[in-house]
Amino acid sequence: MKPDIGGIGMTSQRTRERLVQRLIDQGITNLSVLEAIRTTPRHLFLDEAMSHRAYEDTALPIGFNQTLSQPYVVARMTELLLRDGRPKNVLEIGSGSGYQTSVLAQLVDEVYAVERIKPLLDKSRKLLRQLKFRNIKFQHSDGGLDQHSSAPFAAILCAAAPISVPQVFLEQLTPNGRLVLPVGKESQSLKMITRKGDDFVTETFESVRFVPLCEGTLR
Ligand code: SAH
């Protein structure tokens, strides 16, 4: 499904095209992912003071010491998630501003967004409702602790970095399900772990920089 951006999207059409071109130049090839980035009004996910920078390919602050992910990283993680076919249901841990959530919701049937900072969750829920998304379910919880009530998932995307891959993520994957996440402390890398029956196959990609996955404290 597409976000209902009415007239507000048109103002930044050209800067958005430039961003998409930059992602193509950096090696993003999945056309559905590029289209979702093109149609997502990233400026609406930022505070007004930051919104003029919305179509730069950079992470930007969203308050509470958290950041809206860099568009390249959003595109890259989404592309990996879709590499071996479109997953039906996706668990997103650390939905923050809701930007990655809205990209995913245009590409899969159902997104389950989990965020531990309540004001961020409430703000993103309100915005995505305004944009007329109907396939997103939000939950205020710590995604690193317990299984989600709608598990298992065909895919899990985690937007905060644990030091090592949490067992609770692996347990929630369907057979052939895949998990995309950053792993590490000071030095992090992007990983995709695919479930093959009882085995898990790990692929490691480029270095990334994410906020840490927090444990046990809801705000
Ligand atoms: N893709 C988001 C990224 C937000 S930054 C965006 O573009 O806006 C990562 C988010 O993960 C933060 O909002 C942080 O609060 C959240 N987070 C960190 N640890 C978490 C946990 N254990 N459970 C749920 N959310 C968590």
Side-chain angles (χ1 to χ4, degrees), residues 13-26:
Q13 192 63 31
R14 215 174 320 132
T15 39
R16 235 182 278 176
E17 289 298 336
R18 222 178 292 141
L19 172 62
V20 168
Q21 188 53 51
R22 205 188 132 86
L23 300 183
I24 294 170
D25 294 344
Q26 286 181 94

Side-chain angles (χ1 to χ4, degrees), residues 106-122:
Q106 293 170 62
L107 299 165
V108 306
D109 291 350
E110 213 72 58
V111 181
Y112 295 82
V114 169
E115 171 54 57
R116 63 181 273 276
I117 300 177
K118 185 122 191 330
L120 286 178
L121 184 91
D122 290 343

